[in-house]
Amino acid sequence: MLRSELVQMIKERHADFTTREAELIVTAFFDAIVRQLQADGRVELRGFGMFTTRAREARQARNPRTGEGVKVPAKRVTYFRPGKELRERLNADAPADVEYDDVLAA
């Protein structure tokens, strides 16, 4: 799913939202996740999963084309661990298309 498809889905499900308002909702959601991860935090979305960051040390790598050594700087990378409900729904025999209203009612 593309970001634009997510915006369109929100707009379709909530007719009172304009496209711009749906874009702002999606942007605010993703920005909040990024800010929390930048602060060395973790983001847990119950039933969906957990985003965390891990540090990777600097290392020496090789360019596969030339064999030349390349320095790879230290960095933080994002990890995602799926939640139990997501794993169960992915591996269930039930259809994947769950109605949005059913999720809100739960």
Side-chain angles (χ1 to χ4, degrees):
M1 171 179 278
L2 301 174
R3 182 185 186 109
S4 59
E5 292 171 335
L6 182 58
V7 168
Q8 187 62 34
M9 184 189 321
I10 291 172
K11 187 174 176 251
E12 288 172 2
R13 307 242 176 161
H14 299 281
D16 51 326
F17 286 169
T18 65
T19 301
R20 180 70 183 136
E21 289 170 332
E23 287 173 0
L24 288 172
I25 291 167
V26 171
T27 299
F29 179 74
F30 289 135
D31 286 347
I33 291 174
V34 170
R35 277 194 309 274
Q36 184 63 31
L37 291 173
Q38 285 174 332
D40 230 5
R42 93 181 202 178
V43 176
E44 183 176 339
L45 303 171
R46 296 283 170 148
F48 182 71
M50 181 175 57
F51 295 93
T52 58
T53 60
R54 295 183 188 171
R56 283 206 182 151
E57 294 183 11
R59 62 187 175 92
Q60 185 71 24
R62 298 230 171 263
N63 180 332
R65 183 172 293 169
T66 64
E68 179 182 347
V70 178
K71 290 184 180 181
V72 178
K75 59 185 169 185
R76 287 176 31 205
V77 294
T78 305
Y79 281 85
F80 175 73
R81 182 175 172 214
K84 180 181 177 184
E85 184 179 335
L86 176 61
R87 284 191 316 269
E88 289 173 352
R89 287 175 63 183
L90 285 175
N91 294 309
D93 293 333
D97 58 336
V98 174
E99 287 297 318
Y100 178 72
D101 295 330
D102 294 339
V103 173
L104 288 179

